[in-house]
Amino acid sequence: MRAAILRAFDEPLAIEDVPMPDCPADGVILRVLACGVCRSDWHGWTGEHARVRPGSRMGHEYCGEVVEAGPQAGWMPGDRVIAPFILACGACPDCQQGHQTICEHQIVPGFTAPGAFAEYVAVPHAHNLARLPEGLDPALAAGLGCRVTTAWEALTGRAALQGGEWLAIHGTGGVGLSALILARALGARVIVTDIVPERLDFARGLGADHALDARGGDAAARIREITGGGAHVSIDALGFPDTIRASLACLRRLGRHVQIGMPTGHFATMEIDMLGIYSGQLALFGTRGMPPWKFPSLLAMISSGRVDVRPLVARRVRLSDLSAELAAMNGPMPPGVAVVTDFSA
Ligand SMILES: [Zn+2]
Ligand SMILES: [Zn+2]
């Protein structure tokens, strides 16, 4: 089968013919219908992600059709499914309490196992999979795999965002735009920041109440002014020191900061205003992924038409276009994400 393999950091991925995977006893083999291209893939491609090394196959935002099912999989050939990027074991105490995203035995295809930038992918722990709703375009479903699910858990799980509250979103990449769309559907008022005017316009078109150009450096002060004291909830969707500091500084007292962007490489540690956190009595949440039992609530929002995820997918590309998509992330990107939908070329 055809697959895209990382052979050297920052070099084009190699499109290779590799053996078909073996089917796990509690898992399935999927014919990949679509796989999203993500900032996390870029981190892997540049060598900043500890789990991506030469020889790795990335791709963690996928949906597909079951072509083979293990005896304990619970799925049948022909079923169309969508995967969370975290495949939890299902048996440990954390999993049994519903906290699958912190499962110590989790498998993450694309990082800790071969991923879905390939014609087929093995998916162990198939109890994590959700049925792809009838009529949901696979490219849109793949686009949910990481960013929309993460945003849904950040807003509804970690921050417990309420209707009428002010939400600030720092960075309008895929997960930032996802948070915007979902927060609007939850009835929150939303301010986004970015440094790319085209992306700010795009966010306005998706219903942002305010879209601020952060290049002036005073985004936090402007958010406090617009909201009459600060946002109730603020998300850093990038993982950069400037946006994290702005996210903390834009909060009102008792505000909740959610760290969605992954601070990697030399941003893994940074200085933040701890006195401001103390005196503002702020809450800080880290978040990563979504427990799979939340798929029904998220998919219902989409199937019912309350959330339109179509604007998130900007481009449908071929497997051989992946390298160009990753290279483009070295600079400012236009809005929307790319999804690989053609694995034959
Ligand atoms: Zn577990
Ligand atoms: Zn992702």
Side-chain angles (χ1 to χ4, degrees):
M1 66 172 192
R2 290 164 58 80
I5 312 289
L6 184 145
R7 289 293 169 203
F9 297 128
D10 292 317
E11 297 290 330
L13 302 179
I15 305 296
E16 298 181 5
D17 195 23
V18 303
M20 280 288 285
D22 292 326
C23 185
D26 71 342
V28 296
I29 303 292
L30 295 184
R31 179 172 67 83
V32 182
L33 295 171
C35 185
V37 186
C38 178
R39 177 63 58 176
S40 301
D41 299 318
W42 178 84
H43 285 304
W45 180 65
T46 59
E48 284 179 13
H49 198 295
R51 307 308 293 261
V52 177
R53 300 288 101 187
S56 288
R57 193 171 92 212
M58 297 190 289
H60 59 277
E61 305 184 342
Y62 54 96
C63 62
E65 181 175 320
V66 175
V67 295
E68 189 180 346
Q72 291 117 48
W75 298 99
M76 299 284 287
D79 287 339
R80 288 185 159 211
V81 293
I82 174 172
F85 69 92
I86 296 170
L87 301 174
C89 78
C92 72
D94 288 325
C95 279
Q96 296 201 325
Q97 286 193 293
H99 304 311
Q100 287 87 352
T101 62
I102 57 169
C103 172
E104 280 197 29
H105 312 291
Q106 63 184 254
I107 297 168
V108 185
F111 296 102
T112 68
F117 288 144
E119 288 180 281
Y120 297 89
V121 65
V123 186
H125 304 332
H127 51 84
N128 289 279
L129 299 172
R131 192 173 296 279
L132 191 62
E134 290 284 329
L136 180 58
D137 176 354
L140 297 183
L144 306 181
C146 169
R147 58 193 61 75
V148 181
T149 55
T150 295
W152 187 238
E153 175 63 3
L155 296 178
T156 64
R158 307 297 278 153
L161 181 71
Q162 305 298 306
E165 287 192 315
W166 281 106
L167 171 69
I169 300 169
H170 302 265
T172 62
V175 76
L177 290 179
S178 302
L180 163 61
I181 293 170
L182 294 169
R184 293 282 301 157
L186 293 169
R189 293 173 286 176
V190 184
I191 303 175
V192 303
T193 75
D194 208 293
I195 57 169
V196 182
E198 182 190 358
R199 290 161 66 123
L200 292 169
D201 288 339
F202 193 71
R204 280 187 201 100
L206 292 178
D209 296 277
H210 299 270
L212 306 181
D213 192 326
R215 283 176 296 184
D218 61 347
R222 285 153 70 199
I223 292 169
R224 289 197 305 273
E225 190 182 312
I226 291 167
T227 57
H232 298 86
V233 175
S234 183
I235 285 173
D236 169 67
L238 290 174
F240 297 146
D242 284 351
T243 53
I244 291 171
R245 290 186 197 116
S247 177
L248 290 167
C250 80
L251 286 169
R252 70 178 57 211
R253 285 189 285 276
L254 290 176
R256 294 101 79 194
H257 164 89
V258 189
Q259 187 59 42
I260 294 184
M262 181 168 59
T264 55
H266 55 286
F267 294 149
T269 60
M270 64 183 74
E271 277 189 18
I272 57 170
D273 176 13
M274 284 307 291
L275 178 59
I277 292 166
Y278 166 80
S279 57
Q281 303 183 52
L282 306 182
L284 269 62
F285 295 96
T287 200
R288 173 176 170 269
M290 177 190 83
W293 55 265
K294 284 196 135 177
F295 263 123
S297 65
L298 174 60
L299 293 172
M301 292 284 275
I302 296 164
S303 298
S304 67
R306 297 173 87 175
V307 167
D308 182 2
V309 292
R310 285 174 298 182
L312 293 176
V313 174
R315 294 177 300 289
R316 292 154 198 259
V317 302
R318 300 168 300 179
L319 196 60
S320 53
D321 297 325
L322 248 180
S323 302
E325 290 292 338
L326 293 172
M329 289 189 200
N330 288 327
M333 291 285 289
V337 300
V339 176
V340 178
T341 53
D342 182 354
F343 295 84
S344 69

